[in-house]
Amino acid sequence: MSALKETHRWLRPVLWAAGTLALLLGIIGIVVPGLPTTPFVLLAGACYVRASPRAHAWLLRNRTFGPILREWDQHHSVAPRVKRIALVTMALTAGFSIWFFVGAPWLQGLVLGAMLVGAFVVWRLPSRQG
């Protein structure tokens, strides 16, 4: 039986909304340090697969997010290249933000803390060797 048929009718809109929110957070995470994109895209895919086959198919075909979801679906992992890009991007963005917020040490600490949490989340995702 498909995941969609197993999902209660009232739950589909909730999952669709949660998937959309997760995808938006993932998109924002592309430029905000500490807000990793990959886990939010994976969460969006998990929500959409049970809420909307059309939204899930769109996400799988998406040039930016599709490869992340296909890697997860096929190997239950994140490509090492995706992890490296995510970690380097977070570090560069956080470094720029810390430089930009000179004179506001509490804000610099907040950016650094958020980046470290996001980096830890991405680092902990399983990756396939080879």
Side-chain angles (χ1 to χ4, degrees):
M1 185 175 263
S2 77
L4 187 60
K5 288 184 180 182
E6 293 173 10
T7 305
H8 298 293
R9 271 208 160 106
W10 63 269
L11 190 56
R12 286 184 195 156
V14 172
L15 288 172
W16 189 88
T20 302
L21 177 62
L23 184 59
L24 288 173
L25 289 171
I27 291 168
I28 292 168
I30 293 171
V31 295
V32 174
L35 196 61
T37 297
T38 303
F40 287 115
V41 171
L42 295 175
L43 178 60
C47 290
Y48 285 161
V49 79
R50 295 181 73 72
S52 169
R54 192 168 135 192
H56 187 253
W58 172 84
L59 198 55
L60 283 171
R61 286 189 312 268
N62 184 277
R63 191 179 72 152
T64 304
F65 305 124
I68 296 169
L69 282 176
R70 288 190 298 272
E71 174 75 20
W72 189 263
D73 286 346
Q74 293 170 3
H75 305 287
H76 204 66
S77 65
V78 176
R81 178 181 172 273
V82 170
K83 285 176 80 168
R84 282 192 304 272
I85 290 170
L87 293 171
V88 167
T89 303
M90 280 192 284
L92 290 173
T93 307
F96 175 76
S97 297
I98 289 169
W99 173 79
F100 183 77
F101 292 127
V102 69
W106 69 271
L107 202 48
Q108 290 175 320
L110 183 67
V111 167
L112 180 62
M115 190 274 308
L116 290 173
V117 169
F120 180 74
V121 169
V122 170
W123 179 71
R124 294 280 299 151
L125 291 172
S127 59
R128 182 168 50 104
Q129 301 302 318

